[in-house]
Amino acid sequence: MKKVYFSKLENRYYYGISRTFWHILSALAVLSVIVAVSIVGWSYLPASKEKVVKAPEPQKEAYPKQVEVQLDEVISAIPKERSQIEEIKKTSETARPVRKPRVDLVKKDTIGLFAFEQQVARLKNLLPPGEFPKLWSGDGYYRYPQGELKYKVTKLESYREYVTTSDGLQLKIEKQTNRDDFASSYNQKAQLVAGFNSVLKPLKKDIRRSLITQLVTFRNSSLKKTLSSLEVLSGILPLYDDTHVNKAYNRNRSFLLRNPNDGIGLLSYEAETLPNFTQSERYAASNIIKSEYGNHYNYNLAALQENTSNFIPFLRRIDADKQAIALNYYYQIYRGKNRDRADKIQDIENAHEQRLNQIEQDFKSAQLLAEANYELKKQKKGFWRKKSFYAIAIAVGAILAITLILLMLSMIRNVNRLAQAMIETNKNYTNNEKTNSIISNNS
């Protein structure tokens, strides 16, 4: 009786409670899979990156009002002795700005041969090979390894060989531009030769001849900057008289290469300003402007332009052969009268530069912070993706284990029910047998 009771209790509560319990665990495992799959999907979405906006450039403080220089002050300051004037003009040629490091970045290709040959043909029109044969063919001499007499007797070329001492102009251009891949493609070579042509075209033929060999070796940091330099040289060199063109080229070339800024801005300004001077005075005036720019204005072109523009109207009332020296003394007097203003301008420039540097520094810091946050978000997504894969694997494994456990419990329950049914059947059969036996005995 007790055994039957416990079997019923086991079937009714133990297996019933276990099945409910395992069903709850299965539901939790399925829910875990759903959550983990959602996290995996979220982790594959691109991480958001904060957009960094650079602060606008601050407005520069206005310069203080300048103290004007009068024409009478300039004229009275000009020396009477011609030798003193010439000495001052010479000293203006000695200004040497700081050299900048060079960076050569040019890609190779072999396209544009026709354009290059077209520009070389135009260069030949400016410097005809008939007038300058050695310039185009190069120079050299014959060497006779077995003696000159044997060649004279036989006239065979195998008894002599030509030794080149200098290349022709076209070959020289190709070699120079191929060095360090400065202008290795024919399109780039064509652009350079076009720049040479623009510089040489306004000049006389003998001056072209002396300049071309220097132009071939001219390079200013990069190809783009070299082309810009050639463009500004083509505008300024024709302004000088013939006796100063070569010296002006060397002076301007040195200025372009050694200027801590690009130098192109000042030469462009000179090209606009020098026509106001007598041609013979332009070279000296150009040197004085460069010296003033580098030595007293810290390469502040705007301030120099403001100052020089006030002098230009005086030129009509100054002797033609004293215009350059008058500019020199104008600068001296101006600096003396505006010394405090110059200091104030420098303070304004320094403060403005500091603000620009601070804006740039803040912008870069914000970029770095945004990049760091972006990487952190990516790492966070990767971390949760990995954990979610683990959770999915564990949950699926738990579901399979629960399924097996429930299956075993169901089998055990069914076996127990079958055994109970068999016991009851046997019991009923025994009881029936006993009953039948008693009935038979009574009969």
Side-chain angles (χ1 to χ4, degrees), residues 44 108 110 162 193 206 212 231 233 253 297 352 413:
Y44 278 108
K108 286 186 176 182
T110 56
Y162 189 75
V193 178
D206 58 331
I212 186 59
E231 182 180 358
L233 287 172
R253 177 181 182 275
Y297 281 83
H352 183 68
R413 184 173 64 250

Side-chain angles (χ1 to χ4, degrees), residues 46-81:
S48 61
K49 189 173 183 179
E50 183 182 357
K51 185 178 180 181
V52 180
V53 180
K54 190 174 183 179
E57 182 176 334
Q59 186 174 3
K60 189 187 297 185
E61 183 182 348
Y63 292 163
K65 188 176 180 180
Q66 59 182 334
V67 181
E68 295 183 356
V69 177
Q70 303 300 321
L71 176 61
D72 294 342
E73 296 176 288
V74 177
I75 293 176
S76 62
I78 298 175
K80 305 301 180 185
E81 297 293 331

Side-chain angles (χ1 to χ4, degrees), residues 267-309:
L267 293 191
S268 299
Y269 175 68
E270 285 188 21
E272 299 172 1
T273 303
L274 291 180
N276 295 291
F277 291 81
T278 304
Q279 190 175 40
S280 60
E281 292 286 286
R282 291 173 185 172
Y283 177 65
S286 174
N287 290 329
I288 290 169
I289 290 173
K290 289 184 180 67
S291 176
E292 189 74 8
Y293 178 63
N295 295 330
H296 302 289
Y297 281 83
N298 194 28
Y299 303 101
N300 184 348
L301 182 58
L304 180 74
Q305 288 175 325
E306 178 192 40
N307 184 6
T308 307
S309 62

Side-chain angles (χ1 to χ4, degrees), residues 77-253:
I78 298 175
K80 305 301 180 185
E81 297 293 331
R82 189 67 192 177
S83 59
Q84 295 180 5
I85 294 176
E86 294 301 322
E87 183 65 26
I88 293 172
K89 287 183 179 180
K90 287 182 179 179
T91 57
S92 66
E93 299 184 45
T94 60
R96 290 290 184 272
V98 179
R99 180 184 294 275
K100 287 183 71 178
R102 295 183 173 185
V103 179
D104 300 325
L105 295 173
V106 179
K107 294 182 178 179
K108 286 186 176 182
D109 65 65
T110 56
I111 302 172
L113 178 60
F114 179 71
F116 172 65
E117 290 178 341
Q118 275 189 321
Q119 294 300 329
V120 171
R122 290 172 184 167
L123 184 57
K124 287 181 178 178
N125 289 334
L126 298 175
L127 293 165
E131 297 181 36
F132 307 100
K134 289 188 176 181
L135 174 66
W136 289 98
S137 63
D139 201 2
Y141 62 92
Y142 282 103
R143 190 169 68 89
Y144 304 92
Q146 301 182 35
E148 186 176 0
L149 180 61
K150 185 171 287 190
Y151 170 76
K152 287 181 177 181
V153 172
T154 62
K155 298 298 183 182
L156 295 175
E157 290 296 326
S158 58
Y159 290 111
R160 70 173 183 175
E161 58 184 29
Y162 189 75
V163 179
T164 301
T165 56
S166 65
D167 296 320
L169 182 58
Q170 183 170 346
L171 181 58
K172 192 177 294 185
I173 291 172
E174 293 190 31
K175 284 186 175 180
Q176 285 291 332
T177 52
N178 285 336
R179 286 175 55 195
D180 304 324
D181 289 341
F182 179 72
S184 56
S185 78
Y186 281 109
N187 271 332
Q188 293 167 337
K189 290 176 172 60
Q191 291 176 335
L192 272 177
V193 178
F196 300 161
N197 292 337
S198 64
V199 173
L200 298 176
K201 187 176 181 180
L203 308 176
K204 290 184 177 180
K205 199 172 292 184
D206 58 331
I207 298 176
R208 295 174 191 166
R209 174 64 186 88
S210 60
L211 282 185
I212 186 59
T213 53
Q214 300 180 68
L215 286 173
V216 170
T217 60
F218 175 63
R219 58 170 68 181
N220 190 6
S221 297
S222 65
L223 176 63
K224 182 179 179 181
K225 194 171 178 183
T226 300
L227 293 174
S228 299
S229 299
L230 291 172
E231 182 180 358
V232 75
L233 287 172
S234 69
I236 196 170
L237 290 181
L239 300 177
Y240 303 108
D241 59 4
D242 294 342
T243 59
H244 289 133
V245 171
N246 281 293
K247 290 199 296 183
Y249 169 78
N250 290 326
R251 181 74 174 90
N252 288 321
R253 177 181 182 275

Side-chain angles (χ1 to χ4, degrees), residues 2-62:
K2 286 184 178 180
K3 186 176 181 182
V4 173
Y5 175 77
F6 283 119
S7 295
K8 289 181 178 180
L9 189 67
E10 181 183 43
N11 289 328
R12 185 173 181 180
Y13 296 103
Y14 175 74
Y15 292 117
I17 293 173
S18 296
R19 183 173 55 186
T20 304
F21 173 74
W22 293 117
H23 284 170
I24 292 172
L25 285 183
S26 298
L28 290 175
V30 171
L31 183 63
S32 299
V33 171
I34 294 172
V35 172
V37 169
S38 301
I39 293 174
V40 169
W42 165 79
S43 70
Y44 278 108
L45 293 175
S48 61
K49 189 173 183 179
E50 183 182 357
K51 185 178 180 181
V52 180
V53 180
K54 190 174 183 179
E57 182 176 334
Q59 186 174 3
K60 189 187 297 185
E61 183 182 348

Side-chain angles (χ1 to χ4, degrees), residues 339-357:
R339 195 175 306 280
D340 293 339
R341 180 176 184 267
D343 293 339
K344 179 63 176 175
I345 288 175
Q346 192 59 49
D347 291 341
I348 291 173
E349 290 294 329
N350 291 339
H352 183 68
E353 188 68 25
Q354 287 179 0
R355 287 197 295 271
L356 292 179
N357 291 337

